C-alpha cells in the first residue's frame, strides 16, 4: 500500500504531525506499537500539561484526548499494535515493512516519513551502579506504568536515585498510594527537574531531597534489601567514609532520558551528539530529504506543548514536501557560550524559525544573543536560566546570504 | 506560627520566602516581588492542590481509570480524599470530564474522569 506521509508513533508529537499533515492535504498513515494512542501521556496522570498551548493545567490523558479527537476528526488511518520491522529509502520516498496481529507483515511505501519515536529512560547499567541484580530496581517510568496503568505497587519502601521530573512525580504518587519514600538522592548540587515539581511533589509530602549524594551500591540477592548512599565531591566521585546504608525494598532511577532513533539507523542520517537526536532544520527535516523528526526523538523537551509544536511543524512540512520536494536548510546554527544545545541545528532562509535551547548551568542575569556575521539578530534578557527549563526564541526570516547563526548566553557583569 | 521557609514557584527565580508572625500580621522576607507575598500567604494560610490519582474499574481491558478533582482541594485533606476515592469503582465506560462523584465528601469539588475508556482509534485492516 501507498501513502503520502507515514508517521511513526502516536504520542503527542506523532498525533500533532498526523493532524497537521492531514490539514495540509496529505494522505496520512499513523503507526503505533501500543494498543491505544497517546504515548507516554497515557500514564502521566498528573496535571501540568498544556500550560502554553491551552493555558490550562491538563493531565496527560486529557491532553492526549484532545489530539486523538483531532486525528479522529480527520478520519485518519491509524494502525495500533504495529511495529516497524524494516525501513529503507526507495526511489520516491521510503519503504517500510510493518507488522501487527491483524495484518501480519506488510509493506507500505510513503513519500515522506515522520519519525516521532520519543525517548527512553537511562537504565541502571548506564549509571554504573554496582552490586547484584535483585528484583526491585525500576526506572521511574516503569514504576509509573505499573502503578497508573496496571494497579501494581512496585514496593513499600522506596529510594529514588536522581531528581528528574518523573522521579519526583513518582515520589508523590508512591506516597499517595501508601508506600514510604526514604529519599530522593541527586548527585548534582541542584535538582535536575522543575522547581514546581520539587515543591509540589517532595516538599508537600516532606520527602527528603539529598543533593551532592548518590547511590553507590545495591544490596540484596533475590530482592533489594537496601542501598548504600554516599556524598560526592566536586568531581562527582563518592567521598571515602561517607557511605551509609539506607534500608529499602525498591530503587527507582530517574537519571535522564535519551532520544530513541534506533530504527532510523539504516538511513545513515546526521545526528547531534549533544541532543542524541537527528540534526534538523526548523521544518524538522533531517539530513535525509523527506525524513522528518519531532518531539522527544529530536531532543528531550521539558514541556509537552513544545513536543506538539514540533509535531505540527514536521507534519505540515512533510505534507508540503510531498507536493514540492526540497531538502534540509543549509544555514548552520552554532550553539556558543553557556549553551548545552540549540535545536534546530540548521535553518532554511526566508522563513521564521523557533529556536529551543538549554543553558549548560544555572546562571543569573544573562542575555541571549543571536548573531550572524557579527550582526545582532536577536537579544533577550533572562533573570535566571536553568538547564531543566528549556527556552524558546523566535528568529525572523534570514536573508539568503547568511551562512551561519551563532547563539550564546552572555553573563551580565 | 513558627517560621516557615517556602520556595516561590511563580517565576524561574524561585525565591526562598520566609514567613513569620500570626494571622493578619504575617511577615515575608526573601521575596523579590509581590507575587512572592501572595504565593507565600496562600501557602501558609490555605494551600490547595489538584489531586490526580486512579480508581478501579469493572473492565479488565481498562483496569484503572485516571481521575482528578475538578479544581483544587485543601492540601491537608489529600490523604482523606484518597481514602474516599479508593473505595469507588467505575461500572461504566467514561470519557474525560465525565463526573464520577458530584461532590467528594469533605470538599466542595467533584471527582472527574481524565481518560477515554471507550474504544481507542481502531486498527484498520490493511490489504
Amino acid at each position: 500500500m501507498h501513502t503520502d506521509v507515514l508517521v511513526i508513533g502516536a504520542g503527542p508529537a506523532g498525533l500533532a504531525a498526523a493532524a497537521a499533515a492531514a490539514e495540509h492535504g496529505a494522505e496520512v498513515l499513523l503507526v503505533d506499537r501500543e494498543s491505544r494512542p497517546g504515548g507516554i501521556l497515557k500514564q502521566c496522570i498528573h496535571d501540568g500539561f498544556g500550560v502554553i498551548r491551552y493555558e490550562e493545567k491538563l493531565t496527560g490523558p486529557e491532553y492526549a484526548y484532545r489530539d486523538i479527537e483531532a486525528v479522529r476528526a480527520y478520519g485518519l488511518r491509524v494502525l495500533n499494535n504495529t511495529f516497524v520491522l524494516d525501513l529503507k529509502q526507495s526511489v520516491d520516498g521510503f519503504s517500510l515493512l510493518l507488522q501487527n496481529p491483524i495484518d501480519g507483515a506488510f509493506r507500505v511505501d510513503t513519500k515522506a516519513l515522520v519519525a516521532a519515536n520519543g525517548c527512553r529512560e537511562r537504565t541502571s547499567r548506564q549509571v554504573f551502579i554496582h552490586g547484584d541484580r535483585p528484583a526491585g530496581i525500576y526506572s521511574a517510568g516503569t514504576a509509573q506504568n505499573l502503578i497508573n496503568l496496571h494497579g501494581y505497587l512496585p514496593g513499600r519502601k522506596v529510594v529514588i536515585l536522581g531528581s528528574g521530573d518523573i522521579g519526583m512525580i513518582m515520589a508523590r504518587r508512591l506516597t499517595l498510594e501508601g508506600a514510604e519514600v526514604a529519599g530522593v538522592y541527586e548527585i548534582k548540587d541542584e535538582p535536575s527537574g522543575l522547581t514546581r515539581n520539587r515543591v509540589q511533589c517532595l516538599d508537600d509530602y516532606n520527602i527528603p531531597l539529598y543533593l551532592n549524594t548518590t547511590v553507590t551500591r545495591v544490596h540484596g540477592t533475590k530482592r533489594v534489601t537496601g542501598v548504600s548512599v554516599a556524598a560526592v565531591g566536586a568531581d562527582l566521585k563518592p567521598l571515602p567514609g561517607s557511605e551509609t546504608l539506607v534500608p529499602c525494598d525498591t530503587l527507582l532511577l530517574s537519571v535522564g532520558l535519551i532520544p530513541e532513533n534506533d530504527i532510523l539507523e539504516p538511513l545513515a542520517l546526521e545526528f547531534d551528539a549533544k541532543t542524541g537526536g537527528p540534526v534538523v532544520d526548523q521544518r524538522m527535516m533531517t539530513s535525509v530529504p523527506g525524513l522528518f523528526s519531532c518531539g522527544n526523538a529530536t531532543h528531550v523537551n521539558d514541556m509537552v506543548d513544545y513536543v506538539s509544536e514540533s509535531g505540527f511543524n514536521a507534519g505540515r512540512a512533510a505534507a508540503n514536501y510531498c507536493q514540492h520536494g526540497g531538502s534540509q536548510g543549509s544555514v548552520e546554527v552554532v550553539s556558543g557560550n553557556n549553551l548545552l544545545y540549540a535545536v534546530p541545528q540548521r535553518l532554511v532562509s526566508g522563513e521564521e524559525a523557533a529556536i529551543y535551547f538549554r543553558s549548560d548551568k544555572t546562571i543569573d542575569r544573562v542575555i541571549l544573543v543571536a548573531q550572524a556575521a557579527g550582526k545582532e539578530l536577536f537579544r533577550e534578557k533572562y533573570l535566571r536560566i536553568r538547564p531543566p527549563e528549556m527556552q524558546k526564541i523566535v528568529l525572523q526570516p534570514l536573508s539568503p546570504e547568511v551562512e551561519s547563526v551563532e547563539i550564546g548566553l552572555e553573563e551580565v557583569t | 506560627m513558627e517560621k516557615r521557609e517556602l520556595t516561590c514557584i511563580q517565576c524561574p527565580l524561585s525565591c526562598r520566602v520566609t514567613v513569620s508572625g500570626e494571622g493578619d500580621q504575617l511577615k515575608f522576607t526573601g521575596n523579590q516581588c509581590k507575587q512572592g507575598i501572595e504565593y507565600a500567604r496562600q501557602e501558609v494560610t490555605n494551600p490547595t492542590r489538584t489531586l490526580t490519582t486512579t480508581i478501579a474499574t469493572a473492565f479488565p481491558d481498562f483496569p484503572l481509570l485516571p481521575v482528578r478533582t475538578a479544581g483544587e482541594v485543601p492540601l491537608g485533606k489529600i490523604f482523606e480524599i484518597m481514602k474516599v476515592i479508593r473505595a469507588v469503582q467505575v461500572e461504566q465506560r467514561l470519557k474525560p470530564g465525565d463526573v464520577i462523584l458530584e461532590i467528594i465528601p469533605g470538599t466542595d469539588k467533584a471527582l472527574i474522569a481524565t481518560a477515554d475508556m471507550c474504544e481507542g482509534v481502531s486498527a484498520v485492516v490493511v490489504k
Side-chain angles (χ1 to χ4, degrees), chain A residues 153-302:
Chain A
L153 196 61
R156 296 272 168 210
K157 186 161 184 186
V158 184
V159 163
I160 300 177
L161 173 61
S163 57
D165 289 309
I166 316 167
M168 295 199 282
I169 284 160
M170 288 318 294
R172 173 176 63 187
R173 189 77 191 108
L174 284 156
T175 306
L176 285 175
E177 291 296 346
E180 182 196 339
V181 178
V184 175
Y185 295 85
E186 169 59 54
I187 195 166
K188 296 195 188 131
D189 57 5
E190 61 176 345
S192 65
L194 303 174
T195 305
R196 181 184 71 194
N197 284 331
R198 187 184 42 84
V199 170
Q200 297 197 343
C201 297
L202 304 185
D203 296 358
D204 274 3
Y205 296 91
N206 300 314
I207 298 165
L209 169 65
Y210 301 96
L211 298 172
N212 304 303
T213 311
T214 194
V215 170
T216 51
R217 184 168 284 275
V218 176
H219 303 277
T221 46
K222 285 191 171 157
R223 176 82 198 190
V224 173
T225 56
V227 295
S228 293
V229 300
V232 299
D235 58 358
L236 303 185
K237 299 245 167 68
L239 296 174
S242 69
E243 218 170 48
T244 54
L245 180 74
V246 181
C248 62
D249 58 24
T250 303
L251 173 65
L252 294 197
L253 302 171
S254 179
V255 288
L257 301 167
I258 307 166
E260 166 91 351
N261 290 288
D262 291 4
I263 61 167
L264 300 181
E265 266 169 26
L267 301 180
L269 63 163
E270 187 187 355
F271 274 84
D272 181 342
K274 291 183 197 161
T275 58
V279 168
V280 292
D281 62 19
Q282 75 263 46
R283 300 168 173 178
M284 308 310 289
M285 197 191 284
T286 67
S287 60
V288 174
L291 174 64
F292 298 81
S293 171
C294 56
N296 283 352
T298 318
H299 66 116
V300 176
N301 292 253
D302 59 340

Side-chain angles (χ1 to χ4, degrees), chain A residues 381-402:
Chain A
K381 203 170 166 183
Y382 298 88
L383 284 172
R384 170 172 292 175
I385 206 158
R386 296 182 61 222
E389 283 151 24
M390 202 175 81
Q391 304 293 334
K392 175 192 172 184
I393 60 162
V394 177
L395 286 188
Q396 292 310 303
L398 299 173
S399 54
E401 69 274 10
V402 172

Side-chain angles (χ1 to χ4, degrees), chain A residues 308-326:
Chain A
S308 300
E309 211 166 86
S310 74
F312 284 122
N313 288 341
R316 185 178 56 229
N320 287 337
Y321 175 84
C322 294
Q323 297 285 324
H324 310 293

Side-chain angles (χ1 to χ4, degrees), chain B:
Chain B
M1 188 183 80
E2 48 182 295
K3 258 190 198 177
R4 274 191 61 190
E5 267 208 32
L6 304 164
T7 307
C8 178
I9 55 172
Q10 300 299 317
C11 88
L13 276 183
S14 308
C15 295
R16 292 292 290 173
V17 185
T18 306
V19 189
S20 57
E22 293 292 334
D24 295 343
Q25 301 296 308
L26 290 176
K27 275 175 67 180
F28 304 90
T29 52
N31 54 297
Q32 295 187 38
C33 78
K34 275 187 191 166
Q35 285 191 74
I37 295 178
E38 287 319 305
Y39 173 79
R41 188 190 305 279
Q42 176 80 23
E43 284 300 295
V44 298
T45 53
N46 180 28
T48 58
R49 302 284 185 267
T50 299
L51 171 64
T52 64
T53 183
T54 56
I55 55 175
T57 80
F59 306 98
D61 66 314
F62 208 111
L64 290 173
L65 174 65
V67 296
R68 68 174 170 90
T69 55
E72 299 194 339
V73 294
L75 178 60
K77 285 194 175 175
I78 294 274
F79 283 99
E80 203 180 303
I81 298 168
M82 280 296 289
K83 216 181 241 175
V84 173
I85 291 176
R86 197 164 284 137
V88 180
Q89 174 165 304
V90 173
E91 310 284 345
Q92 283 172 299
R93 296 216 178 238
L94 302 177
K95 283 180 177 293
D98 285 352
V99 175
I100 297 154
L101 294 174
E102 290 282 352
I103 295 285
I104 303 165
T107 75
D108 56 357
K109 297 289 189 295
L111 184 70
I112 60 171
T114 61
D116 182 11
M117 293 171 73
C118 305
E119 210 183 348
V121 181
S122 58
V124 177
V125 178
V126 183
K127 281 291 172 235

Side-chain angles (χ1 to χ4, degrees), chain A residues 306-366:
Chain A
Y306 295 134
V307 166
S308 300
E309 211 166 86
S310 74
F312 284 122
N313 288 341
R316 185 178 56 229
N320 287 337
Y321 175 84
C322 294
Q323 297 285 324
H324 310 293
S327 57
Q328 190 181 55
S330 60
V331 180
E332 199 159 339
V333 177
V334 182
S335 54
N337 277 349
N338 299 316
L339 284 202
L340 198 60
Y341 69 74
V343 170
Q345 300 87 344
R346 301 277 188 276
L347 294 175
V348 177
S349 304
E351 282 179 21
E352 193 180 89
I355 308 236
Y356 306 88
F357 66 92
R358 290 177 193 271
S359 64
D360 60 2
K361 57 177 186 283
T362 298
I363 323 173
D364 284 337
R365 300 170 62 76
V366 65

